[in-house]
Amino acid sequence: MAGRYYNDNPFDEGQEDNAFSNPASVPPATNSRLSPLPHEPADYDRGATVDIPLDNPKDLKNKEKELQAKEAELKKLEQDLKRREDAIARAGVVIEEKNWPPFFPIIHHDIANEIPIHLQKLQYVAFFTWLGLAACLLWNLIAVTSAWIKGEGITIWLLAIIYLISGVPGAYVLWYRPLYRAMRTDSALKFGWFFLCYLFHIGFCIIATVAPPIFFKGKSLAGILPAIDLLGWNGLVGVFYFIGFAFFCLESLTSIWVIQQVYMYFRGSGKAAEMKKEAARSTMMAAL
C-alpha cells in the first residue's frame, strides 16, 4: 500500500466542452428581416387641411343671449325664494319636517335638538303622558271589547273607538304641540293655551279613572266602578277593567305632576307677567 503511486491530480478541472468546437451542433440562423411598409399612394397630399365645421357667429351670439336670459331668470327665482324665506322667518313660521315615528313619520319631534337642555326632561315626561293616553285608550278599547263580547251592548264599544281615534290626535293638537312650541320658542301665549287644554286632559283622565255612569254610557270607560261591577259578573272582563283603571290612575298622577312643573317654570321665568301684558295689549287693540 505504501508503494502505490497515484497519477490523478485533484486540482485538474478536466477538459471543458466547447459548444462552438462542433459547427454541426449550432442551429442555423433564420432570416428575421421585417417586411417593408407599403408605399404611400401617388395622389396623397401631405399639405391637405381637414375642414372642421364651426358655428356661425350669429348662432353663437344667439346662444349666448339665451344663456344670459336663463341665468337672469334663475337669479330672479332665487331672489323671490329668498324673499319668501325671509318673510316666513320674520313671521315666526318654522317649517317642521315630519320625523317621528321613524318607520312612518307623521309628526315633527326633536326634543334633543330643539328644546333647551334644562327643559328636556320635563318635555320628555309630557311626551310620555301623551303616549300614555294613547296606551290607556287602546287598553280601554280592549277591555270594552271583551265586555261587548260577553254580552254588553255595542254602544260602549263604539264609544271606546271614538275615544281612541279622537283622543290621541286631539291631545297632540290641543296640548302637546302647544307645549312643545312653547318650550322651543318660550311663548307665553302658547303656555296659556297648554294650561287650558291640559286641565281638560287631566279632568278626562280623572273621570275615566272613576268612570261614573252619569257622564258616559254604561261601561265605555275602564274605571274602578265598572271594574267592581263586572268582577262579579265575569272575572276576566273585571280584570281587564281593573288594569284599565290602573292605567288611567297612573296617567292622571303623571299629568298632575307635569302641569305642576310647567307652571313652576312658567311663574319662575316671568312668563305669567308677560302673558298678562300681552293679554292687556290685545284687549286694548281690540277695543281700539
Side-chain angles (χ1 to χ4, degrees):
M1 295 294 293
R4 190 173 178 178
Y5 179 76
Y6 294 95
N7 292 326
D8 295 336
N9 187 359
F11 300 99
D12 187 7
E13 296 180 357
Q15 186 178 1
E16 295 180 356
D17 294 334
N18 189 353
F20 299 98
S21 60
N22 187 6
S25 63
V26 179
T30 58
N31 188 7
S32 60
R33 294 181 59 188
L34 298 175
S35 60
L37 295 174
H39 295 285
E40 295 178 354
D43 58 348
Y44 179 75
D45 187 6
R46 293 178 178 272
T49 58
V50 179
D51 294 333
I52 300 176
L54 298 175
D55 291 337
N56 194 351
K58 293 183 179 180
D59 295 337
L60 291 176
K61 290 182 179 180
N62 292 333
K63 290 183 179 180
E64 185 177 359
K65 289 181 180 179
E66 291 178 0
L67 292 175
Q68 290 177 354
K70 290 182 180 179
E71 184 179 0
E73 185 178 357
L74 290 175
K75 287 183 178 179
K76 185 178 179 181
L77 292 175
E78 184 179 358
Q79 291 176 357
D80 292 340
L81 181 60
K82 186 176 181 181
R83 192 181 303 111
R84 292 179 182 179
E85 290 178 352
D86 294 340
I88 292 174
R90 287 193 300 268
V93 178
V94 180
I95 300 176
E96 298 178 344
E97 181 182 358
K98 297 178 181 179
N99 59 355
W100 193 91
F103 55 88
F104 186 71
I106 55 177
I107 63 173
H108 175 78
H109 196 258
D110 193 4
I111 295 177
N113 295 322
E114 295 182 346
I115 305 301
I117 296 177
H118 62 285
L119 297 175
Q120 288 184 5
K121 179 181 178 181
L122 181 57
Q123 187 66 42
Y124 275 118
V125 178
F127 180 60
F128 290 149
T129 59
W130 178 61
L131 296 180
L133 177 64
C136 289
L137 294 178
L138 180 61
W139 183 262
N140 180 76
L141 177 61
I142 295 173
V144 173
T145 302
S146 65
W148 170 49
I149 293 174
K150 293 298 182 179
E152 293 291 336
I154 194 174
T155 305
I156 61 173
W157 183 73
L158 294 176
L159 287 174
I161 293 178
I162 293 174
Y163 301 153
L164 178 62
I165 63 177
S166 63
V168 177
Y172 174 78
V173 173
L174 293 177
W175 58 262
Y176 181 73
R177 187 171 63 180
L179 177 63
Y180 185 90
R181 293 178 176 177
M183 294 290 195
R184 184 178 62 187
T185 61
D186 214 18
S187 173
L189 292 178
K190 288 184 174 61
F191 273 111
W193 180 260
F194 161 75
F195 287 129
L196 178 63
C197 295
Y198 205 66
L199 286 174
F200 281 101
H201 161 72
I202 294 175
F204 171 78
C205 291
I206 293 175
I207 292 175
T209 303
V210 181
I214 58 175
F215 288 103
F216 299 96
K217 174 68 176 178
K219 303 174 180 64
S220 61
L221 287 173
I224 183 65
L225 295 181
I228 296 174
D229 186 21
L230 292 172
L231 190 62
W233 174 64
N234 189 290
L236 181 61
V237 177
V239 170
F240 280 1
Y241 270 70
F242 266 109
I243 295 175
F245 157 72
F247 281 169
F248 279 117
C249 185
L250 181 61
E251 176 71 13
S252 301
L253 295 176
T254 309
S255 300
I256 292 173
W257 182 86
V258 168
I259 198 171
Q260 287 179 345
Q261 297 299 316
V262 174
Y263 183 72
M264 289 173 60
Y265 168 75
F266 182 74
R267 291 293 300 270
S269 61
K271 294 299 175 184
E274 182 181 346
M275 183 177 177
K276 290 180 181 179
K277 292 180 181 179
E278 290 183 2
R281 190 183 303 112
S282 300
T283 304
M284 185 179 297
M285 293 297 295
L288 293 176

